[in-house]
Amino acid sequence: MKVLVTGATGFVGRRLVPALRDAGHDVTALVRDAGRYDAPDGVRVVEGDLLHPGSFDAALDVDAAYYLVHSMRAGANFEARDRAAARNFAAAASEAGVERVIYLGGLGEDRDRLSEHLRSRREVERLLGDGDYALTTLRAAILIGRGSASFEMIRQLSSRLPVMVTPRWVDTECQPIYVGDAIDYLVGVLSVPETAGETYEIGGPDVLTYREILLRVGEARGRRPIVLPVPVLSTRLSSLWIGLVTDVPSAVARPLIEGLRNPVVVRDHRIEALVDVDRTPFDEAVERALGSGDDSPSETDGADAAERVGP
């Protein structure tokens, strides 16, 4: 099958492109700067920008497309940019006759006062649903893997600080998934026709609070931190603090922190009967992300990728 991957330079896209190629598909990678993208052998590269209609039309001579484009930074216009990119893509893909689109969105119930970025993910999902193709949506929480901004934040916090003062919603439940398992689901739905037009939730086998995630990552690093949740630590203060003690910029940390208040747990398990994935336990996923078992690119994904699609 001829398949397009948008956001090919991001945390998920860099892993998905070779996985699709290895599954026998004819893959096109859409990137904004072809000179900065080291394409896997056999992958066609097309340069374009979803914010500029007409610039990416040459990439749409495909049967199916993956939409992995999101802003990961705080700012006044990120929602407008996400909205414009989704509308441009939906219109162009419909005009080109693309048959299927697969979108990686975020877990979370609409009634839970979703964070701004998760609301934007859900709006993108609705806008993509307006296209003249069959949309398959996979919703996930934190993706565990080397190069993930959210995992990098957790790793550095748990290893650098013996005592952490955190927002009170650090006890919110989350169902993280190993990035390799998420890739298996993304590739798998393409070969299951009945997944076309459906929305599914994906997650790993473990449901944990963010406190437990911090503690277990710390233990894997040889240090068990003390986590002290307090009711007065604002999102802004938390992001500034994280910007000081980790390599994650405050502009990226803020949307990550804002999402902690939203429970992100799989409630719909239908996908497990359709796509067979041997889901990786959390502790094993962390070991792979910290060690040599995860040999995917180590760069933190750019602003066009959905590396953390949940909270």
Side-chain angles (χ1 to χ4, degrees):
M1 186 180 295
K2 296 176 68 176
V3 181
L4 168 67
V5 177
T6 69
T9 60
F11 172 70
V12 174
R14 284 180 179 270
R15 291 160 166 82
L16 180 60
V17 167
L20 287 167
R21 179 205 57 187
D22 293 346
H25 298 291
D26 184 2
V27 183
T28 296
L30 179 65
V31 300
R32 288 182 292 184
D33 185 352
R36 299 178 61 186
Y37 179 57
D38 185 14
D41 292 341
V43 172
R44 181 179 68 144
V45 179
V46 175
E47 199 171 80
D49 190 332
L50 297 187
L51 292 175
H52 296 97
S55 71
F56 56 93
D57 290 353
L60 293 171
D61 57 341
V62 296
D63 305 303
Y66 286 83
Y67 193 91
L68 303 176
V69 178
H70 284 305
S71 172
M72 275 302 297
R73 290 180 175 268
N77 66 343
F78 83 89
E79 290 175 297
R81 290 170 59 87
D82 282 353
R83 190 180 302 121
R87 283 174 173 160
N88 293 341
F89 175 83
S94 298
E95 180 67 22
V98 176
E99 297 174 5
R100 289 193 64 179
V101 171
I102 296 93
Y103 171 62
L104 183 59
L107 272 175
E109 298 290 338
D110 289 338
R111 64 175 180 268
D112 289 333
R113 294 179 59 215
L114 301 180
S115 67
E116 290 181 354
H117 276 256
L118 191 47
R119 285 202 310 270
S120 181
R121 302 289 192 269
R122 202 57 52 82
E123 182 181 25
V124 166
E125 183 180 320
R126 289 192 292 267
L127 291 171
L128 292 176
D130 292 336
D132 297 329
Y133 43 72
L135 175 67
T136 301
T137 297
L138 299 183
R139 295 176 177 173
I142 292 178
L143 304 185
I144 302 297
R146 186 170 49 166
S148 159
S150 54
F151 181 72
E152 187 62 21
M153 180 180 73
I154 291 168
R155 181 189 70 81
Q156 292 185 29
L157 284 175
S158 62
S159 62
R160 294 182 179 180
L161 295 177
V163 179
M164 280 181 280
V165 179
T166 63
R168 58 187 173 187
W169 52 80
V170 74
D171 288 322
T172 302
E173 286 189 330
C174 173
Q175 191 166 353
I177 182 171
Y178 179 54
V179 64
D181 297 346
I183 296 298
D184 287 344
Y185 277 120
L186 286 165
V187 175
V189 295
L190 198 57
S191 61
V192 182
E194 53 263 49
T195 63
E198 297 291 333
T199 297
Y200 301 99
E201 299 176 350
I202 60 174
D206 302 299
V207 176
L208 306 166
T209 66
Y210 290 104
R211 184 205 300 258
E212 291 172 322
I213 290 173
L214 285 164
L215 293 175
R216 288 167 73 162
V217 172
E219 288 175 347
R221 299 279 294 175
R223 174 182 292 178
R224 182 181 175 88
I226 297 172
V227 180
L228 300 175
V230 296
V232 295
L233 191 60
S234 70
T235 298
R236 180 176 177 276
L237 289 175
S238 297
S239 61
L240 291 174
W241 169 65
I242 288 171
L244 289 173
V245 299
T246 76
D247 298 330
V248 179
S250 296
V252 173
R254 184 167 183 175
L256 300 181
I257 293 296
E258 283 178 343
L260 293 179
R261 67 173 181 262
N262 299 121
V264 280
V265 177
V266 173
R267 306 298 183 191
D268 178 359
H269 296 271
R270 291 176 299 139
I271 189 67
E272 296 167 21
L274 296 169
V275 180
D276 186 18
V277 174
D278 186 11
R279 298 180 302 160
T280 307
F282 177 77
D283 292 332
E284 182 180 340
V286 170
E287 289 179 6
R288 293 183 184 181
L290 294 176
S292 59
D294 182 354
D295 57 0
S296 297
S298 61
E299 302 97 312
T300 298
D301 56 308
D304 62 345
E307 63 79 24
R308 181 183 190 277
V309 293

